[in-house]
């Protein structure tokens, strides 16, 4: 049975395949569980600047939620969660952001797909990260499976630069009012063509941050840094 009811746009030339099947016949016999199916999630880094953000170096905060369930229970993470079967990625990201923090209506910039197979002990989970920007004050409230939601002050420093293609960044996040902090050290390597570099992010160590979220946050902040410096 076809996943979609409307098949216009999928007929191609209208010819039959090597098995002699029409599109409808192919879909009737297709088994979506032929291959193990990964789960898809979204993660959203919301960056906040009290003033209009014009230059890198202005004080920034990021919005994190405290995980209320396994895995990484009690650690801090970017808001996010599983995308529903009949839901686009942007819709899933916006929904999860609202459910976990109460924030809605923000434009979202899709950034990166994180697919390292060891990133989640539950199953093969692939996540797509998004970046959002807030200028001014925005209240947040924890909801859904988030135990808490807080704005964290950001300190991102380049600690080592072995070459043009290898850097170690240290990320420190803190909310002094609630005596909460977390940190991570991330290795960033670049290879490939100068116009199409391949960037890799590897978590060297972290404390208080869920799974690979130190990499997600560093990647998003460096993206924002580059955009501001263009």
């Amino acid at each position: 049975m076809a996943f979609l009811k409307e098949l216009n746009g999928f007929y191609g030339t209208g010819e039959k395949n090597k098995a002699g099947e029409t599109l409808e016949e192919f879909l009737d016999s297709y088994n979506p569980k032929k291959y193990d199916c990964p789960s898809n999630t979204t993660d959203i880094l919301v960056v906040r600047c009290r003033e209009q953000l014009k230059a890198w170096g202005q004080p920034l905060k990021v919005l994190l939620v405290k995980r209320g369930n396994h895995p990484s229970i009690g650690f801090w993470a970017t808001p996010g969660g599983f995308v529903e079967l009949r839901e686009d990625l942007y819709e899933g990201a916006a929904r999860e952001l609202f459910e976990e923090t109460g924030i809605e209506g923000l434009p979202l910039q899709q950034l990166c797909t994180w697919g390292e197979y060891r990133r989640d002990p539950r199953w093969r989970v692939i996540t797509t990260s998004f970046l959002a920007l807030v200028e001014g004050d925005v209240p947040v409230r924890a909801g859904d499976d988030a135990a808490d939601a807080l704005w964290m002050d950001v300190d991102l420093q380049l600690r080592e630069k072995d070459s043009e293609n290898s850097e170690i960044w240290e990320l420190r996040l803190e909310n002094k009012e609630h005596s909460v902090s977390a940190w991570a050290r991330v290795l960033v390597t670049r290879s490939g063509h100068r116009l199409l570099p391949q960037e890799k992010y590897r978590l060297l160590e972290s404390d208080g941050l869920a799974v690979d979220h130190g990499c997600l946050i560093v990647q998003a902040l460096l993206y924002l840094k580059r955009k501001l410096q263009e």
Side-chain angles (χ1 to χ4, degrees):
M1 183 176 179
F3 174 63
L4 300 177
K5 293 182 179 180
E6 180 55 63
L7 297 181
N8 288 335
F10 296 96
Y11 284 100
T13 61
E15 61 192 288
K16 294 183 179 181
N17 64 10
K18 292 182 179 180
E21 300 170 314
T22 64
L23 174 62
E24 287 84 357
E25 291 168 339
F26 167 78
L27 291 172
D28 283 342
S29 61
Y30 182 76
N31 178 15
K33 299 187 182 299
K34 179 180 179 180
Y35 304 101
D36 286 336
C37 297
S39 295
N40 292 287
T41 62
T42 58
D43 281 283
I44 309 96
L45 182 69
V46 183
V47 176
R48 173 185 158 202
C49 185
R50 187 173 294 276
E51 311 291 338
Q52 183 180 5
L53 182 56
K54 296 180 179 180
W56 183 256
Q58 291 178 246
L60 299 177
K61 297 179 182 287
V62 298
L63 178 58
L64 298 184
V65 296
K66 188 176 183 179
R67 288 191 55 81
N69 199 359
H70 301 292
S72 299
I73 189 170
F75 275 17
W76 294 89
T78 56
F82 289 92
V83 178
E84 296 177 0
L85 191 60
R86 299 181 186 276
E87 183 178 54
D88 292 339
L89 289 178
Y90 279 90
E91 294 172 352
R95 175 183 54 77
E96 285 290 345
L97 180 60
F98 174 70
E99 290 177 355
E100 293 195 342
T101 70
I103 291 181
E104 59 183 335
L106 292 182
L108 301 174
Q109 172 67 57
Q110 184 174 327
L111 289 186
C112 189
T113 299
W114 302 85
E116 207 275 333
Y117 80 91
R118 291 170 295 188
R119 64 181 306 273
D120 198 306
R122 294 170 293 183
W123 189 241
R124 179 78 163 90
V125 177
I126 299 172
T127 196
T128 302
S129 60
F130 290 81
L131 176 64
L133 176 63
V134 168
E135 293 172 322
D137 292 326
V138 175
V140 297
R141 57 163 179 77
D144 197 21
D145 58 355
D148 201 356
L150 292 175
W151 291 107
M152 302 273 203
D153 294 318
V154 175
D155 181 21
L156 180 64
Q157 299 291 333
L158 177 61
R159 292 305 183 196
E160 294 183 31
K161 189 177 180 69
D162 294 336
S163 66
E164 289 298 318
N165 301 317
S166 179
E167 303 167 346
I168 294 178
W169 290 85
E170 184 172 285
L171 171 71
R172 292 196 173 273
L173 305 165
E174 184 178 23
N175 184 303
K176 293 181 179 179
E177 180 182 355
H178 292 84
S179 300
V180 171
S181 64
W183 64 273
R185 293 177 74 246
V186 175
L187 172 66
V188 183
T189 55
R190 300 179 181 88
S191 60
H193 194 279
R194 62 181 178 81
L195 296 177
L196 300 172
Q198 175 178 295
E199 286 190 343
K200 291 186 178 181
Y201 291 77
R202 182 162 67 89
L203 188 67
L204 299 178
E205 54 183 330
S206 69
D207 184 41
L209 288 173
V211 208
D212 57 358
H213 285 220
C215 292
L216 272 72
I217 297 170
V218 168
Q219 190 270 341
L221 291 173
L222 290 179
Y223 172 87
L224 184 60
K225 179 176 182 287
R226 288 194 295 269
K227 297 296 287 185
L228 287 166
Q229 293 176 340
E230 286 180 354

